[in-house]
Amino acid sequence: MRRGRTRQQTHSGVGQRQNQPSATLRATGLILAFGAGLSTACTSVFVKLMKNELSFWEVTFYRGLMNTVLLYSYLSVKGRGNLLKDIDSKTFRSVMLRSVFFVSSVTMSFAVNQKIPLGDASALMGTSTVITGFLGIFILNEKWHLLEMLLGVLCWIGVVLISRPAFLMGDVEGAITDDDSGTRFFYNVLALCSACTTSLSFLFVRKIGSSIDVPRLVLASEFTSMVFCFSVLMYTQGSVTLPSEDILSYLPALSFTSTMVQVLMSASLRIEKAASAVVCRTAGYVMASFVLQTLVFHTLPELTSLAGAGLILASTALLSWKKLQTKTKQV
């Protein structure tokens, strides 16, 4: 019996290795994820440009409206207008859960991008991998070893450097004063919550797999965000602000870049492992955000922000690499 099981496990391991994507295909997946990060940074720029006229709720609503129309038109032209075709109840529930996480992530990230510098926001929201690993201790009963704990500490040191609280940084230039520390703390926490929901959204894309095509998956999320934000706006202020001509020119660009984020990332997650794909997306997002913050808004990042972003990226990349190495040994 023991010998038979060993042979079966050996054949199973060989089969798993044979089913793994080629190096070229995996590289394509990583490039797609990096492109999703660049698109995310561009989306953040447009969100920030509209902050004086539209709230983050309204930006999310218009984004969902335009993307819903765009994607449904595409599916109708392709003859795939029946959105529920070949979708079982289990897949439908997973798609709806993924949509809820997606709406939460987008809404919180837009709020953060309108209130704090782009580079800081992107780095804080790039902690999703480390946060997911920490939550796995309680949710999945996973064990963290000493190296993983140290990487987690390294990541949170980066968060502190970006937050720059006055009670820790003292009179250091760029430290957040007591007057705005409460507001800053709130949006820092909101960025971390966005990181959590973003990670969960990506994990559900991986879980759903090929049960539903990418356009329909993205459409479900966009339609959910449109309906949710419209409901919130009607309840809180009774109307939706109509954008001016200047702001109206940003909306098509916002719609395009935000759609590309989902399309590129969804395509990447079907080729590459979630851990490495998220790292590439985070790297593209953080680097592009600091560059665009300087080029578009003419705001140089603080040295503490750059150092904090570097620590977050390094800890995220090392933690993901360790998890991938562990999974490879298990196979």
Side-chain angles (χ1 to χ4, degrees), residues 209-322:
S210 58
S211 301
I212 181 174
D213 53 279
V214 172
R216 285 194 293 170
L217 177 62
V218 176
L219 176 59
S221 300
E222 298 292 355
F223 179 76
T224 304
S225 69
M226 177 190 70
V227 172
F228 177 74
C229 291
F230 181 78
S231 301
V232 170
L233 289 168
M234 288 296 102
Y235 179 77
T236 56
Q237 62 189 42
S239 63
V240 179
T241 304
L242 294 176
S244 64
E245 292 184 2
D246 293 336
I247 297 298
L248 197 60
S249 63
Y250 295 138
L251 289 177
L254 172 68
S255 174
F256 174 77
T257 55
S258 59
T259 301
M260 290 306 297
V261 172
Q262 289 207 73
V263 171
L264 291 173
M265 198 62 193
S266 296
S268 172
L269 288 169
R270 296 190 176 193
I271 301 173
E272 183 52 61
K273 293 182 176 65
S276 51
V278 170
V279 168
C280 280
R281 174 194 173 273
T282 301
Y285 181 25
V286 174
M287 289 189 292
S289 293
F290 277 110
V291 172
L292 290 173
Q293 174 183 317
T294 304
L295 296 179
V296 178
F297 300 102
H298 309 291
T299 303
L300 291 174
E302 299 286 345
L303 290 178
T304 51
S305 293
L306 293 175
L311 290 177
I312 291 173
L313 283 175
S315 58
T316 300
L318 289 171
L319 180 61
S320 299
W321 174 80
K322 188 177 186 303

Side-chain angles (χ1 to χ4, degrees), residues 138-269:
F138 306 98
I139 299 174
L140 303 176
N141 295 321
E142 293 181 344
K143 293 182 179 180
W144 261 28
H145 302 290
L146 178 61
L147 177 60
E148 293 167 329
M149 293 180 184
L150 292 176
L151 291 175
V153 172
L154 193 67
C155 176
W156 290 113
I157 291 174
V159 170
V160 171
L161 288 175
I162 292 174
S163 303
R164 301 190 298 279
F167 70 92
L168 287 178
M169 306 296 287
D171 296 328
V172 174
E173 184 179 358
I176 303 303
T177 63
D178 291 331
D179 294 335
D180 61 359
S181 61
T183 302
R184 176 80 180 199
F185 176 76
F186 172 76
Y187 286 104
N188 286 342
V189 172
L190 205 62
L192 298 176
C193 291
S194 177
C196 291
T197 52
T198 298
S199 181
L200 290 169
S201 175
F202 291 156
L203 289 174
F204 266 88
V205 172
R206 187 77 177 174
K207 180 179 179 180
I208 293 168
S210 58
S211 301
I212 181 174
D213 53 279
V214 172
R216 285 194 293 170
L217 177 62
V218 176
L219 176 59
S221 300
E222 298 292 355
F223 179 76
T224 304
S225 69
M226 177 190 70
V227 172
F228 177 74
C229 291
F230 181 78
S231 301
V232 170
L233 289 168
M234 288 296 102
Y235 179 77
T236 56
Q237 62 189 42
S239 63
V240 179
T241 304
L242 294 176
S244 64
E245 292 184 2
D246 293 336
I247 297 298
L248 197 60
S249 63
Y250 295 138
L251 289 177
L254 172 68
S255 174
F256 174 77
T257 55
S258 59
T259 301
M260 290 306 297
V261 172
Q262 289 207 73
V263 171
L264 291 173
M265 198 62 193
S266 296
S268 172
L269 288 169

Side-chain angles (χ1 to χ4, degrees), residues 7-235:
R7 289 176 180 174
Q8 185 177 3
Q9 291 172 355
T10 303
H11 289 305
S12 176
V14 172
Q16 289 179 359
R17 285 193 292 271
Q18 289 175 346
N19 291 330
Q20 289 181 351
S22 65
T24 303
L25 194 60
R26 291 192 63 183
T28 302
L30 295 177
I31 292 172
L32 290 173
F34 191 83
L38 298 180
S39 298
T40 304
C42 293
T43 300
S44 301
V45 169
F46 294 123
V47 171
K48 204 170 190 68
L49 289 171
M50 292 186 280
K51 71 175 184 177
N52 294 327
E53 186 169 328
L54 299 178
S55 68
F56 63 91
W57 291 111
E58 290 167 330
V59 175
T60 309
F61 165 73
Y62 281 117
R63 172 191 187 275
L65 175 62
M66 296 187 68
N67 288 351
T68 297
V69 173
L70 176 66
L71 289 165
Y72 186 74
S73 300
Y74 168 78
L75 289 170
S76 298
V77 170
K78 291 291 186 178
R80 292 185 283 170
N82 186 359
L83 303 180
L84 298 178
K85 183 180 180 180
D86 300 328
I87 298 180
D88 55 35
S89 58
K90 183 179 179 181
T91 301
F92 180 79
R93 287 194 299 270
S94 296
V95 170
M96 288 298 100
L97 277 173
R98 192 263 174 182
S99 298
V100 170
F101 291 130
F102 168 80
V103 173
S104 303
S105 171
V106 170
T107 305
M108 289 187 287
S109 67
F110 281 8
V112 171
N113 284 322
Q114 286 190 342
K115 297 297 183 180
I116 65 177
L118 292 182
D120 293 4
S122 65
L124 290 172
M125 288 185 280
T127 59
S128 57
T129 302
V130 175
I131 292 174
T132 303
F134 179 74
L135 292 176
I137 299 175
F138 306 98
I139 299 174
L140 303 176
N141 295 321
E142 293 181 344
K143 293 182 179 180
W144 261 28
H145 302 290
L146 178 61
L147 177 60
E148 293 167 329
M149 293 180 184
L150 292 176
L151 291 175
V153 172
L154 193 67
C155 176
W156 290 113
I157 291 174
V159 170
V160 171
L161 288 175
I162 292 174
S163 303
R164 301 190 298 279
F167 70 92
L168 287 178
M169 306 296 287
D171 296 328
V172 174
E173 184 179 358
I176 303 303
T177 63
D178 291 331
D179 294 335
D180 61 359
S181 61
T183 302
R184 176 80 180 199
F185 176 76
F186 172 76
Y187 286 104
N188 286 342
V189 172
L190 205 62
L192 298 176
C193 291
S194 177
C196 291
T197 52
T198 298
S199 181
L200 290 169
S201 175
F202 291 156
L203 289 174
F204 266 88
V205 172
R206 187 77 177 174
K207 180 179 179 180
I208 293 168
S210 58
S211 301
I212 181 174
D213 53 279
V214 172
R216 285 194 293 170
L217 177 62
V218 176
L219 176 59
S221 300
E222 298 292 355
F223 179 76
T224 304
S225 69
M226 177 190 70
V227 172
F228 177 74
C229 291
F230 181 78
S231 301
V232 170
L233 289 168
M234 288 296 102
Y235 179 77

